[in-house]
Amino acid sequence: MDAVGENSPADGGGYAERPSRVPGAVVWTNVPAAPAARPVLPDGCMDLLWTEGRLMVAGPDTRAHLPEGPATRWAGVRFFPGTAPAYLGVPAHELRDRRVDLADLWPADRVRRLTARVDAAVGPAAALEELALDRAARADPPDPLLRAIVRGLEAGRPVAAVADGLGLGARTLHRRSLAAFGYGPKTLGRVLRLQRALALVRSGVPAARTAARAGYADQAHFARDVRDLTGMPLGTLLGR
């Protein structure tokens, strides 16, 4: 997955990431240079988060999220789309467009112990990854069909074609998508297309050519989708 932040922060400065030992996941850290908010863009993922003294979960976003509060250290494990619910034990749609304390999902005593362990670690990101690895080892593996759904939509295939290719009815695909991704396959396809397009335009591909290559009808369609999903024009988004 292309990544721009916490569920993808469009951040300069102190953001860094690396592949995780959790299959398909990414470990990231962010130390903002200033308290100015950077938008976290929809990317189809869910994150396990740590910030000084708190463990949290970021649900799947349908719009850009603006972090609040002072600039603090962050670390996160960004799970491959559709995999986090199996590890965290909660359907994705219950966390859509939300950030919640892990203690709201798991026993509070256990979360306090885990938080203290990550707080005390020399490298909080590595400690957070160990927590995620332990949870993944204890949980049932994610349904492999979910990765096929992501790959099909990521490649720009229509929802109906993805469903037919997997032998699923439209209602079954929608129900599975809600639980795994937090929203239906049409929204997931839009989010993945946005990420695909932003990767192209950031690499220097002109907007008109990006729109065609990413699967938009035209540049105006691309611009509307950017505004709908991020709340700002493309030029403003890239400038931030």
Side-chain angles (χ1 to χ4, degrees), residues 21-61:
R21 287 177 289 155
V22 178
V26 170
V27 177
W28 58 266
T29 57
N30 189 18
V31 184
R38 304 283 185 174
V40 177
L41 306 182
D43 62 5
C45 301
M46 292 173 58
D47 293 51
L48 178 63
L49 307 173
W50 170 87
T51 188
E52 301 160 11
R54 292 180 74 187
L55 288 175
M56 304 170 63
V57 174
D61 290 326

Side-chain angles (χ1 to χ4, degrees), residues 50-186:
W50 170 87
T51 188
E52 301 160 11
R54 292 180 74 187
L55 288 175
M56 304 170 63
V57 174
D61 290 326
T62 60
R63 56 184 181 272
H65 169 76
L66 287 176
E68 299 177 351
T72 58
R73 290 189 302 159
W74 287 87
V77 176
R78 185 184 317 120
F79 298 103
F80 188 84
T83 60
Y87 302 147
L88 301 176
V90 60
H93 63 82
E94 293 187 8
L95 302 179
R96 183 173 54 235
D97 293 317
R98 298 176 62 198
R99 272 74 181 150
V100 302
D101 286 319
L102 188 59
D104 292 340
L105 308 178
W106 295 0
D109 287 348
R110 182 183 177 206
V111 173
R112 278 195 294 271
R113 292 194 300 271
L114 294 172
T115 303
R117 184 188 309 169
V118 179
D119 284 345
V122 174
L128 191 68
E129 182 183 26
E130 289 296 333
L131 191 165
L133 282 164
D134 178 71
R135 185 66 182 185
R138 295 170 183 268
D140 292 333
D143 184 347
L145 195 68
L146 301 174
R147 187 175 289 267
I149 293 171
V150 173
R151 293 307 185 199
L153 295 173
E154 201 171 34
R157 297 178 63 197
V159 171
V162 172
D164 289 345
L166 296 173
L168 298 176
R171 290 184 179 179
T172 300
L173 177 59
H174 189 81
R175 184 175 65 252
R176 290 198 178 191
S177 294
L178 283 179
F181 309 116
Y183 28 64
K186 184 175 181 180

